Amino acid sequence: LRSRKRYPAKMMDALKSVLRPNVPYVTVSQNDEGLAPCQLLMSDIPNVLVLSAGGYGHVPIPLLKQEESVNNRKRPKDRKTLISYVGSLGNAPRGMRKLMSRKLERRLSSSIG
């Protein structure tokens, strides 16, 4: 993205003009704010399913920045770590990461205590 998280001026209009309303589409976005932050509402393109590394869209996915080797061959039930996260809790839209962290902490404390 150029010019501070905005696509070129008429790009979203061009995209909407070629999407056929009777065809379902799937797109993957690595942008932390999903597909066209602040420029395109999901209600404008109801037939587009957005998989987004930032969690904005319909389906959150891991950030796909490079090919990763499989380094944990233990079955999930044999693992000691339930969840891990690396990153800032304060750097997500609408406090999404802080909310996720609080909910997980409450869930874990209620299941342990």
Side-chain angles (χ1 to χ4, degrees), residues 42-63:
M42 293 293 102
S43 59
D44 291 341
I45 51 170
N47 55 323
V48 178
L49 177 67
V50 179
L51 309 164
S52 171
Y56 268 109
H58 303 99
V59 180
I61 59 171
L63 179 61

Side-chain angles (χ1 to χ4, degrees), residues 82-94:
L82 172 66
I83 188 170
S84 66
Y85 173 77
V86 177
S88 166
L89 292 178
N91 192 24
R94 297 188 201 137

Side-chain angles (χ1 to χ4, degrees), residues 69-76 78-82 84:
S69 62
V70 177
N71 60 7
N72 190 346
R73 299 192 188 275
K74 290 182 181 180
R75 297 182 317 205
D78 297 330
R79 296 178 190 167
K80 293 180 182 177
T81 304
L82 172 66
S84 66

